[in-house]
Amino acid sequence: MCSRFFIDFPDTDTQRSKLEHYLADHFADDRLRHAYLATLAATVDKSTVCLMGHERRQTLGLIAALARAVLARRPTARRPP
């Protein structure tokens, strides 16, 4: 499935767009979005043989940036006064 994704969407701009739309369409909760991105990163890092080293690093960087953006949107827990 990952291999097909990278064949259909070879550049990171298109990958970003598709991943953002997928997250918005399939996950209402940012915790679930972040968990999905963590799983995706582990999958790409360990088992995607169709990517060359620099492509893998670019894609992992993209996934990490999306994960950081998801975390940044989450409200911080209120601390008691």
Side-chain angles (χ1 to χ4, degrees):
M1 192 168 171
C2 280
S3 296
R4 187 65 210 192
F5 179 83
F6 296 120
I7 291 167
D8 290 346
F9 312 114
D11 64 278
T12 54
D13 289 335
T14 306
Q15 290 170 13
R16 174 184 290 277
S17 175
K18 296 300 178 183
L19 285 172
E20 286 173 340
H21 283 102
Y22 184 83
L23 292 169
D25 290 346
H26 291 88
F27 301 99
D29 184 271
D30 280 337
R31 287 175 293 194
L32 295 174
R33 288 181 181 135
H34 190 268
Y36 171 79
L37 290 168
T39 300
L40 180 61
T43 301
V44 169
D45 189 43
K46 290 184 172 80
S47 66
T48 306
V49 296
C50 67
L51 294 175
M52 297 175 77
H54 70 283
E55 293 168 325
R56 178 177 286 118
R57 285 188 296 279
Q58 286 178 330
T59 300
L60 289 171
L62 166 64
I63 295 167
L66 290 172
R68 284 190 301 273
V70 166
L71 286 178
R73 284 196 309 263
R74 289 178 62 184
T76 56
R78 293 183 129 190
R79 294 183 186 171

